[in-house]
Structure formats: structure tokens, C-alpha cells
């Protein structure tokens, strides 16, 4: 059985595209994508590299879902509706034909599962071999009503800062996967590892924030690093409080035994929760939205005219140390 490029495309990827528009079963080298009147196109791209963004032992179907979901999280941060995606795979030359075929078969099962959950299709892409590590590059396409996209800029002094869900779970889950941290409670460990393996893009929240938030983005590099992006884009500062930062009961158990890990709440990456600011007089709408979505939305501080960013403890002392605002960086 062949496992060449075109065989892999027609056998495994073409079914993800469907037979009709916009990709026509991947029979052409490009898709024809038509946006609806009054809509703007939103594009985002992320690359995942083995041993940088994921472990070599991570299952292919989970990698597929994570690659898709981190891009969907970017769309959520813009308030967009997901429509489709482009995919490029660089598969290691050291893979045998059978290993390559089996890996792609499992990978595409993961894509199919999330395509159904998020109602989108594959639009096209490329499959190549590489002497380097396995690399997954995915571009997601979405649409948003004209003029209503969310941005990092636009926050105003006095705006209240909110985050969705809980923070730090994914960073702790990665530590558990790497073996640098141990957790005997199976349910606790499984929850934290799942948060690392399977992000939850907050698409419904992003849509709901179009007419509520002054600024928004998803949290990928860590709370402090990403809040700093909003501060810089908006020409403002922020004061947030350590005691207000939300973390899960599972993370709390880890902090009881390893207090140093509490920094993961504001410094760890891969949360893929939403960070947003709203006028103080609209907080009741945030409370109602939280109840409507069944998703915790936690107030953690306020934007300030002073351009400094402060993380304060219960005595209003700054917790941040030199160099702790940068978050994850590749370079």
C-alpha cells in the first residue's frame, strides 16, 4: 500500500475537505473561499514543532486537535466565527512508510473529531518530508461582522480586567507529562494533563464580547506576558491582584505541596483562556454572560493611566521580579 504524498492526501485528507466548495475534495492547489456580505475575514497561523510545543510521545490524534484548537483560540480572541483551515505537515524522513501511514491515519481521525465539534472543514495544505523534527503548521480562517472584531488595543483607563476559566493548569500538566512533577491523585493528574493536551477555545465567549469588551485576546504566553501586550497596544498600565487569579482545585492541590508552582498561574503558558477588559459600569453584563455560558469569568484588576504593570499581593506589594513579564519566547 502506497504512503506517498498524493496517496496520503487522497486517502486521509480529502475526506476532511468534502467534495464541494470551497476545497472541492482537494483536487486543486487552492480553495475558493467566499465571505458573506458584511463580514470580514480573520486569519491566524500557528506552528507546532516536536520537542518545542509537544512531546514526541504525544498521540497523533491529540496533536491534531491541539494544533487546530490553538488556532481556534486565536479566532476566539478576535471574536470571530471559525470557517475552515489550511494545514501543512512536515513528517520526519526517519519514519518508515508504515509508520507514516499509521501516524497520518490517527492524526486525521483527531482532525475529523474536532471538525465535527467546531463545524469547519479542511481547505487545503501541503505534506512534505523533513530531516528535522515533526512540524505541524495550521492556518485558521474565520469571519466577523464588519467593524466588530476584538483587538488588543482599545482598553481604557478604569476598565475592569477579566479572565475566563482557570489559569496555570496546562503548564502544570506539561510538567506532569515531562516527569518533573508527580501527582498521585489520578483524577487530579488526568485533569491537568488534559488541560495541556486539549485546549478549550472560547469561541462562544469571543462572539459575545464583540459589543462588550474594549480589548481582548487569548492567553497563550502566560497571563502577565499577554496582559502586557494589551497594556502596550492600548498605551496603559494595569494593576492585578494575586489573590484574585483563578486556579482549579487540581492546581490548588499541587500548590499545597509545591508552593513555588503557584507562579504557573500567571507565568505559565498554553492556558488558551480569554483575557479582556470592559467598562466598570458593565460588570453586571459580564456576570450575566458567565451564567449564560456556564463559564467562570473572574475580575482580576483594572487598567491604569500609569503605564506600569503590577501584580500585587494582599499587602499591595508587587510580586513580579525582574524578567518575569516576558512569558514564553522562542528567541
Amino acid at each position: 500500500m502506497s504512503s506517498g504524498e498524493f496517496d496520503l492526501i487522497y486517502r486521509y485528507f480529502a475526506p476532511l475537505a468534502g467534495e464541494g466548495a470551497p476545497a472541492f475534495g482537494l483536487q486543486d492547489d487552492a480553495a475558493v473561499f467566499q465571505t458573506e456580505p458584511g463580514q470580514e475575514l480573520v486569519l491566524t497561523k500557528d506552528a507546532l514543532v516536536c520537542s518545542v510545543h509537544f512531546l514526541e510521545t504525544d498521540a497523533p490524534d491529540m496533536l491534531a486537535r491541539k494544533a487546530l484548537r490553538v488556532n481556534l483560540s486565536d479566532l476566539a480572541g478576535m471574536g470571530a466565527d471559525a470557517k475552515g483551515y489550511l494545514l501543512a505537515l512536515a513528517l520526519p524522513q526517519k519514519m518508515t512508510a508504515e509508520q507514516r501511514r499509521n501516524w497520518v491515519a490517527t492524526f486525521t481521525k483527531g482532525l475529523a473529531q474536532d471538525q465535527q465539534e467546531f463545524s469547519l472543514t479542511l481547505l487545503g495544505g501541503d505534506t512534505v518530508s523533513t530531516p528535522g523534527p515533526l512540524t505541524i503548521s495550521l492556518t485558521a480562517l474565520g469571519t466577523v461582522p464588519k467593524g466588530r472584531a476584538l483587538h488588543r488595543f482599545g482598553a481604557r483607563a478604569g476598565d475592569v480586567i477579566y479572565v475566563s476559566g482557570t489559569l496555570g493548569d496546562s503548564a502544570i500538566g506539561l510538567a506532569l507529562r515531562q516527569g518533573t512533577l508527580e501527582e498521585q491523585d489520578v483524577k487530579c493528574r488526568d485533569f491537568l494533563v488534559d488541560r495541556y493536551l486539549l485546549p478549550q477555545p472560547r469561541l462562544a465567549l469571543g462572539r459575545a464580547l464583540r459589543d462588550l469588551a474594549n480589548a481582548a485576546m487569548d492567553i497563550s504566553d502566560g497571563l502577565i506576558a499577554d496582559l502586557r501586550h494589551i497594556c502596550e497596544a492600548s498605551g496603559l498600565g494595569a494593576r492585578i491582584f494575586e489573590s484574585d487569579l483563578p486556579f482549579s482545585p487540581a492546581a490548588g492541590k499541587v500548590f499545597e505541596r509545591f508552593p513555588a508552582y503557584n507562579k504557573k498561574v500567571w507565568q505559565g503558558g498554553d492556558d488558551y483562556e480569554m483575557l479582556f477588559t470592559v467598562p466598570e459600569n458593565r460588570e453586571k453584563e459580564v456576570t450575566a454572560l458567565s451564567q449564560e455560558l456556564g463559564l467562570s469569568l473572574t475580575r482580576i484588576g483594572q487598567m491604569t493611566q500609569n503605564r506600569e504593570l503590577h501584580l500585587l499581593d494582599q499587602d499591595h506589594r508587587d510580586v513580579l521580579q525582574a524578567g518575569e513579564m516576558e512569558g514564553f519566547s522562542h528567541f
Side-chain angles (χ1 to χ4, degrees), residues 162-166 202 204-209 212 246 273-274 276 278 282-299:
Y162 279 88
V163 294
S164 67
T166 56
R202 305 301 186 184
L205 175 59
R207 290 191 293 269
L209 291 176
L212 178 58
E273 294 291 350
M274 287 283 284
F276 59 97
V278 300
R282 302 189 70 180
E283 284 196 274
K284 289 184 178 179
E285 295 175 63
V286 178
T287 300
L289 179 58
S290 175
Q291 295 173 346
E292 177 186 341
L293 297 177
L295 174 65
S296 63
L297 303 175
T298 304
R299 172 176 173 155

Side-chain angles (χ1 to χ4, degrees), residues 33 72 75-76 80-84 118-121 140-143 203 207 210:
F33 189 84
L72 295 182
L75 293 183
D81 293 297
K83 297 297 182 181
F118 296 106
S119 301
L120 70 167
T121 58
L141 288 76
T143 59
L203 290 162
R207 290 191 293 269
R210 289 171 184 165

Side-chain angles (χ1 to χ4, degrees), residues 59-276:
D61 55 337
M62 299 301 286
L63 285 178
R65 299 175 72 189
K66 184 166 187 175
L68 187 53
R69 288 173 180 231
V70 299
N71 281 272
L72 295 182
S73 185
D74 281 337
L75 293 183
M78 298 288 289
D81 293 297
K83 297 297 182 181
Y85 64 99
L86 299 163
L87 173 69
L89 276 181
L91 300 174
Q93 292 174 354
K94 66 180 182 180
M95 279 185 169
T96 66
E98 183 178 5
Q99 287 174 330
R100 186 164 55 245
R101 184 172 59 251
N102 291 338
W103 192 94
V104 170
T106 305
F107 183 82
T108 51
K109 286 181 181 178
L111 289 177
Q113 183 174 344
D114 270 9
Q115 281 193 188
Q116 183 175 10
E117 179 169 346
F118 296 106
S119 301
L120 70 167
T121 58
L122 176 64
L123 302 176
D126 198 13
T127 305
V128 300
S129 65
T130 176
L134 172 66
T135 301
I136 305 165
S137 180
L138 196 146
T139 302
L141 288 76
T143 59
V144 65
K146 189 173 183 179
R148 293 174 63 194
L150 299 171
H151 298 282
R152 297 179 182 183
F153 58 83
R156 300 171 186 172
D159 273 4
V160 180
I161 304 167
Y162 279 88
V163 294
S164 67
T166 56
L167 306 177
D169 295 326
S170 180
I172 298 172
L174 175 59
L176 290 168
R177 289 279 290 160
Q178 291 174 323
T180 58
L181 178 69
E182 292 186 1
E183 176 55 59
Q184 301 302 319
D185 186 319
V186 175
K187 289 185 178 180
C188 177
R189 186 185 193 283
D190 287 349
F191 172 83
L192 294 167
V193 169
D194 185 70
R195 288 279 282 161
Y196 158 71
L197 291 173
L198 202 61
Q200 300 296 323
R202 305 301 186 184
L203 290 162
L205 175 59
R207 290 191 293 269
L209 291 176
R210 289 171 184 165
D211 299 315
L212 178 58
N214 283 334
M217 66 178 297
D218 74 325
I219 302 173
S220 57
D221 294 331
L223 172 65
I224 291 297
D226 287 324
L227 178 56
R228 183 184 178 190
H229 292 321
I230 288 180
C231 289
E232 292 177 346
S234 300
L236 297 172
R239 287 162 55 91
I240 61 175
F241 297 88
E242 186 181 23
S243 60
D244 292 335
L245 303 184
F247 55 85
S248 67
K253 288 185 178 181
V254 172
F255 301 154
E256 289 175 4
R257 293 186 296 116
F258 304 101
Y261 271 85
N262 67 358
K263 286 188 176 184
K264 299 294 186 184
V265 174
W266 46 266
Q267 197 177 39
D270 280 4
D271 288 312
Y272 299 106
E273 294 291 350
M274 287 283 284
L275 169 65
F276 59 97

